[in-house]
């Protein structure tokens, strides 16, 4: 199964901001990575091709003027991150002006405010959260006065437009989530203590993050004597709350739709996302990165989210560049098989979370990909999923976290 120099491939190269050579582009071989089904009796399905390798990128909406593009190219650490830089430019020239208009020239209107929320959420929220995510792991711009300012602006200035308190993301995601790695009573967003197909358990999880995070996150920094991170986090929270309170006195309707509602949207989206990404946790080894996350292949979300579907590999090595994930997945198929990792085809993380809440484990079993794991029947795949959904008992996660 090959892909030649098609329009889709040229669009892919353009979106990755790598100019195609004048020479004929060699065909890209799209590899077979496994088969649908558990591989046991009656559970051997069709071959699964990794079409994520040639899919057209969709992380940004439009390119900036040529002079802006040249400036970005000069400042970027890695030219492959132009898709992130383009998205940030898209946001900069659309979202702040629209929010400002709600506070100034437009009449106070819940209809206009609701329209702002819907449009900005649909166009940007998912894309921005993942752009922020990868640019926090790997610094986007080169070290310079302008570059440092731009790097810091992503979590300090851009984030609040999408409901994420200023200057909190680094502490929560890099320092807490990746260090403590979903460990209960350490990671604020840990899932392993919950029954992860139970809606009520998710509501408790969501409320803990949305409300408790304002206390738990700065407290986490203090207890680990990371006083600089505490100051950044607490200062960002105070600034976010203070700015919101002041804006409410100026225009409560606009403040609700540009500050309060985005916070509810972002908190919900991020927690559904993290819950879904870490819903299958192996009780025998909950710290194994191949068994506390899973992979989703060949879904349009991967092209909107900088290949976020390869979440297992991201936990294995958070420094893998997002554009390298499909190739790295092929390279590490053997490790996925050896460590009994879970892989799905054609569905995204939100599809998985919804299927769990609806009790549709059979739907997931039918999209399970055997990449070399031990053969299982469809019923055995369902049993595997059930086993990894169960909450870890306290003595179990304390022992395994050592």
């Amino acid at each position: 199964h090959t892909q030649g120099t098609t329009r889709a491939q040229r669009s892919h190269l353009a979106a990755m901001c790598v100019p195609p050579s004048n020479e004929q582009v060699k065909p890209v071989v799209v590899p077979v990575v496994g088969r649908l089904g558990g591989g046991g009796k009656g559970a051997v399905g069709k071959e699964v091709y990794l079409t994520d390798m040639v899919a057209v990128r969709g992380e940004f909406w439009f390119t900036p003027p040529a002079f802006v593009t040249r400036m970005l190219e000069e400042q970027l650490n890695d030219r492959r991150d132009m898709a992130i830089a383009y998205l940030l430019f898209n946001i900069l020239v659309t979202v702040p002006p629209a929010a400002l208009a709600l506070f100034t020239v437009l009449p106070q209107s819940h209809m206009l405010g609701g329209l702002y929320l819907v449009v900005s959420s649909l166009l940007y929220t998912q894309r921005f959260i993942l752009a922020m995510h990868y640019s926090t792991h790997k610094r986007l711009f080169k070290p310079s006065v302008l570059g440092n300012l731009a790097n810091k602006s992503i979590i300090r200035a851009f984030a609040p437009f999408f409901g994420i308190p200023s200057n909190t993301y680094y502490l929560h995601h890099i320092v807490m989530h990746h260090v403590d790695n979903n460990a209960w009573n350490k990671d604020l967003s840990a899932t392993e203590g919950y029954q992860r197909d139970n809606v009520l358990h998710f509501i408790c999880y969501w409320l803990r993050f949305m409300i408790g995070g304002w206390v738990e996150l700065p407290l986490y920094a203090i207890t680990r004597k990371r006083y600089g991170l505490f100051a950044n986090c607490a200062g960002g929270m105070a600034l976010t709350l203070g700015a919101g309170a002041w804006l409410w006195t100026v225009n409560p309707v606009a403040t609700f739709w540009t500050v309060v509602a985005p916070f509810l949207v972002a908190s919900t989206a991020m927690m559904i996302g993290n819950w879904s990404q870490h819903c299958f946790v192996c009780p025998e080894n909950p710290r194994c990165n191949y068994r506390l996350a899973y992979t989703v292949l060949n879904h349009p979300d991967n092209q909107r989210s900088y290949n976020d579907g390869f979440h297992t590999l991201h936990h294995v090595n958070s420094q893998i560049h997002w554009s390298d994930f499909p190739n790295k997945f092929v390279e590490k198929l053997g490790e996925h098989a050896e460590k009994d990792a879970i892989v799905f085809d054609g569905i995204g993380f939100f599809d998985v979370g919804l299927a769990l809440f609806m009790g549709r484990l059979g739907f997931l079993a039918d999209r399970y990909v055997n990449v070399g794991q031990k053969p299982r029947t469809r019923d055995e795949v369902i049993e595997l999923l059930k086993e990894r959904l169960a909450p870890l008992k306290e003595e179990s996660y304390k022992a395994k976290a050592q």
Side-chain angles (χ1 to χ4, degrees), residues 193-207 275 357 391:
Y194 299 95
Q195 178 65 42
R196 293 174 295 281
D197 57 354
N198 186 305
V199 176
L200 292 178
H201 279 219
F202 170 74
I203 292 173
C204 293
Y205 171 81
W206 170 63
L207 290 174
W275 176 276
F357 292 147

Side-chain angles (χ1 to χ4, degrees), residues 58-77:
E59 280 87 359
F60 62 91
W61 293 101
F62 54 89
T63 58
F67 77 94
V68 176
T69 297
R70 288 193 297 269
M71 183 179 66
L72 292 173
E73 288 175 344
E74 292 172 359
Q75 294 294 326
L76 282 175
N77 271 320

Side-chain angles (χ1 to χ4, degrees), residues 38-317:
K41 185 177 180 180
V44 180
K46 66 178 183 179
E47 293 179 329
V48 175
Y49 292 89
L50 188 56
T51 58
D52 283 323
M53 295 187 81
V54 294
V56 178
R57 306 312 311 173
E59 280 87 359
F60 62 91
W61 293 101
F62 54 89
T63 58
F67 77 94
V68 176
T69 297
R70 288 193 297 269
M71 183 179 66
L72 292 173
E73 288 175 344
E74 292 172 359
Q75 294 294 326
L76 282 175
N77 271 320
D78 191 326
R79 196 162 174 241
R80 293 174 297 175
D81 286 325
M82 283 298 287
I84 296 178
Y86 281 177
L87 176 71
L88 295 177
F89 177 82
N90 291 177
I91 292 170
L92 183 65
V93 299
T94 56
V95 175
L100 181 63
L102 288 177
F103 280 95
T104 55
V105 298
L106 296 176
Q108 292 195 32
S109 166
H110 287 292
M111 182 176 294
L112 290 175
L115 180 63
Y116 165 88
L117 179 70
V118 170
V119 172
S120 64
S121 297
L122 291 177
L123 292 182
Y124 295 127
T125 296
Q126 179 189 26
R127 292 172 169 87
F128 171 74
I129 290 173
L130 274 303
M132 175 179 64
H133 170 240
Y134 287 116
S135 62
T136 305
H137 276 286
K138 295 176 74 71
R139 187 171 295 176
L140 188 61
F141 297 103
K142 296 174 183 177
S144 66
V145 174
L146 182 60
N148 291 337
L149 181 64
N151 285 323
K152 292 176 181 178
S153 72
I154 299 171
I155 62 172
R156 292 183 178 181
F158 280 81
F161 282 100
F162 297 95
I164 301 166
S166 179
N167 225 17
T168 59
Y169 186 79
Y170 180 86
L171 174 58
H172 172 242
H173 186 77
I174 305 296
V175 179
M176 177 187 282
H177 181 62
H178 274 273
V179 172
D180 292 321
N181 216 19
N182 202 48
W184 187 250
N185 286 336
K186 290 184 177 181
D187 182 353
L188 170 63
S189 52
T191 60
E192 61 185 29
Y194 299 95
Q195 178 65 42
R196 293 174 295 281
D197 57 354
N198 186 305
V199 176
L200 292 178
H201 279 219
F202 170 74
I203 292 173
C204 293
Y205 171 81
W206 170 63
L207 290 174
R208 177 191 174 188
F209 176 82
M210 188 174 64
I211 300 172
W214 293 91
V215 176
E216 288 191 51
L217 198 54
L219 184 62
Y220 176 93
I222 289 178
T223 57
R224 283 153 181 79
K225 299 181 180 180
R226 304 292 297 272
Y227 301 119
L229 287 174
F230 164 76
N232 287 335
C233 175
M237 287 180 167
L239 181 62
T240 300
L241 291 173
W246 175 73
L247 289 172
W248 191 271
T249 66
V250 175
N251 187 328
V253 173
T255 302
F256 176 81
W257 291 109
T258 61
V259 178
V260 180
F263 171 71
L264 297 175
V265 170
S267 298
T268 304
M270 292 173 74
M271 288 303 96
I272 291 177
N274 195 74
W275 176 276
S276 299
Q277 289 171 336
H278 296 285
C279 56
F280 298 115
V281 181
C282 177
E284 297 302 318
N285 193 351
R287 297 285 78 76
C288 173
N289 289 311
Y290 287 92
R291 299 184 182 190
L292 62 80
Y294 61 95
T295 302
V296 291
L297 307 175
N298 304 326
H299 188 271
D301 275 355
N302 282 348
Q303 283 71 64
R304 292 189 289 263
S305 64
Y306 307 92
N307 286 324
D308 189 48
F310 297 88
H311 202 64
T312 297
L313 283 177
H314 177 63
H315 272 266
V316 170
N317 181 357

Side-chain angles (χ1 to χ4, degrees), residues 276 299 301 346-356 363-364:
S276 299
H299 188 271
D301 275 355
I347 54 177
F349 290 123
F350 288 92
D351 300 318
V352 173
L354 183 61
L356 294 180
F363 168 85
L364 297 178

